[in-house]
Amino acid sequence: SLYNHTIAKILAQYASVVYMSDLTELITWTCSKCDGPVEDFEIIELIVDVKRCLQAFVGFSADLNATVIAFRGTQETSIQNWVADLYWKQLDVDFDGVDGAMVHHGFYSAYYNTTVRPGVLEGVQKAKEFYGSANILVTGHSMGGAMAAFCGLDLYLNLGEPNVQVTTFGQPRIGNAAFASYYAKVLPETIRVTHGHDIVPHLPPYYHLFPQKTYHHFPTEVWLHSVGLKSLVYTAEDVCDDSGEDPNCSRSVRGSSITDHLSYYDITMGCPGKTSGCKIVMDPRIGAYGKTDSEGNLLLSRNSSKPVLKL
C-alpha cells in the first residue's frame, strides 16, 4: 500500500541526477537529466565530499510538494572492487540505543562521520525556512541508498521530523536483524526497490543459518523483474512481504548482474561516461554560492534572496 510507481520513478530520476559531476549544471538545475518530471525543482544545498568521493543534494520539488534529499552511489569504474569488498564485510558497529543492533561501519561512517551530514541537515533547515513544513523524501542508489537509510533515521530521531519517507534503489544490506526490525518500526514508510538479478542487494551476504548474526534487509522491498517469453516480456513489480528477506522476491534469483544494478525503471544510474576518481566541473562564478574547507570539500548553497543562476 506504500508503493507508488509514479513517485518511485520520479525519485529514481533524482537518484540518477545526483551522479552528475558538473556542479554548475546541478546548482542551476540545467543538466541533461534535470527535465521531465523533475524539472520543477530548486537546489537548496549541494554537498561534495571530495576526500571520500561522496555527493548529495537537498532541494524542493513543487510537483511533489516535498523536500527531496538524494545521495550519490558508488562510481561506476569502482563497482567491481566495491562489490568484491562487500562479500567480506562484517557487522562492526553497535547502533546506539538499540539492544543487539549492529551496522556496517563504512556505510554508517559515510553518512555520520563526513561533511555530508552537516550539509544535509543545514539544507533541511533552510528548506523549512523557505517553504515551510513539508514531507521529506530521501533517496539514493547503491551506497547512496545505504546513506539515505541512515539519513532517514537521523531526521526522524535527532531532528524530530515526523514526515520522512525513504525510497532506495539497489541498496545493499546495512545492518543485522535487530537493526532491521528497529528500522522498520521507526520508518515504516520505506521502500527498497530492487531490479532483476542486481548483485548489490544480495550483499553483504545473508546467512540464513545465523539470522541474528548476519546482515538482514529491512522492508519493504519492491522487486522489478521481467516476466514472459520472447516478444511477450513485461516488467512485473512485486511488493514483497514485511520480513525484508522475502524468499519470493529478489532472493529467489541469483544476484549476479551489475548491468541490472545500473538501470532502474529504464533510468541509467552512475556517472556519465567512465571517469576515474571524483571528477568535478564547476564554473568559477559558482564559487560565490559556496564555501570550501581545508580538504577541498564543497558546500554550495542557494540563497532564497538571490535568483537562480542562468549561465
Side-chain angles (χ1 to χ4, degrees):
S1 61
L2 295 175
Y3 177 64
N4 181 300
H5 168 87
T6 301
I7 293 178
K9 189 171 182 179
I10 292 172
L11 291 174
Q13 189 162 345
Y14 282 116
S16 175
V17 171
V18 74
Y19 277 98
M20 299 295 293
S21 58
D22 191 322
L23 305 188
T24 307
E25 292 185 349
L26 269 181
I27 197 71
T28 59
W29 208 249
T30 56
C31 67
S32 58
K33 296 182 177 183
C34 303
D35 57 6
V38 301
E39 63 183 353
D40 197 2
F41 183 77
E42 291 191 334
I43 285 275
I44 295 172
E45 209 88 10
L46 174 58
I47 308 103
V48 184
D49 191 306
V50 177
K51 182 178 180 180
R52 301 166 188 86
C53 204
L54 303 173
Q55 188 162 296
F57 64 67
V58 181
F60 188 80
S61 166
D63 288 339
L64 297 175
N65 191 31
T67 298
V68 176
I69 306 170
F71 294 87
R72 184 173 71 184
T74 308
Q75 297 267 68
E76 184 175 351
T77 50
S78 63
I79 281 182
Q80 295 277 6
N81 292 334
W82 182 70
V83 164
D85 288 343
L86 280 181
Y87 274 103
W88 309 107
K89 294 298 182 182
Q90 301 295 314
L91 294 155
D92 47 13
V93 174
D94 292 324
F95 192 77
D96 289 342
V98 184
D99 187 35
M102 297 190 73
V103 295
H104 182 284
H105 175 267
F107 299 145
Y108 180 89
S109 295
Y111 174 72
Y112 280 102
N113 300 329
T114 67
T115 59
V116 173
R117 180 178 184 256
V120 166
L121 298 188
E122 182 178 324
V124 170
Q125 294 292 0
K126 286 182 179 179
K128 294 175 72 172
E129 294 172 11
F130 296 169
Y131 302 103
S133 296
N135 287 347
I136 300 177
L137 307 179
V138 192
T139 191
H141 167 255
S142 194
M143 187 178 77
M147 295 176 69
F150 282 120
C151 177
L153 277 180
D154 188 26
L155 293 174
Y156 183 85
L157 296 174
N158 298 318
L159 257 66
E161 294 292 342
N163 301 312
V164 179
Q165 300 172 36
V166 177
T167 303
T168 68
F169 307 92
Q171 177 203 310
R173 297 183 177 98
I174 64 173
N176 64 357
F179 173 79
S181 177
Y182 174 75
Y183 185 100
K185 292 176 182 177
V186 173
L187 286 179
E189 294 192 38
T190 296
I191 294 291
R192 280 189 309 103
V193 184
T194 59
H195 176 211
H197 293 250
D198 184 345
I199 189 173
V200 173
H202 292 257
L203 300 173
Y206 172 80
Y207 301 109
H208 68 277
L209 295 177
F210 308 99
Q212 297 302 318
K213 300 295 184 179
T214 188
Y215 281 93
H216 194 292
H217 272 308
F218 51 75
T220 298
E221 178 187 5
V222 174
W223 184 37
L224 313 178
H225 61 107
S226 297
V227 176
L229 293 171
K230 297 183 180 179
S231 62
L232 299 177
V233 174
Y234 67 96
T235 299
E237 301 181 4
D238 293 353
V239 179
C240 311
D241 66 22
D242 61 359
S243 70
E245 296 286 350
D246 190 338
N248 298 311
C249 286
S250 65
R251 277 192 59 199
S252 68
V253 299
R254 184 169 176 264
S256 57
S257 175
I258 289 180
T259 300
D260 285 355
H261 182 62
L262 296 174
S263 176
Y264 274 76
Y265 302 102
D266 295 323
I267 297 170
T268 301
M269 302 291 176
C271 298
K274 294 191 175 181
T275 59
S276 58
C278 292
K279 183 180 178 182
I280 292 175
V281 179
M282 186 174 75
D283 187 295
R285 289 171 287 182
I286 295 293
Y289 285 75
K291 52 189 176 184
T292 306
D293 68 12
S294 59
E295 296 180 333
N297 302 315
L298 298 170
L299 180 66
L300 300 175
S301 303
R302 185 186 67 81
N303 191 312
S304 62
S305 64
K306 295 182 181 179
V308 176
L309 298 176
K310 299 294 184 184
L311 301 178

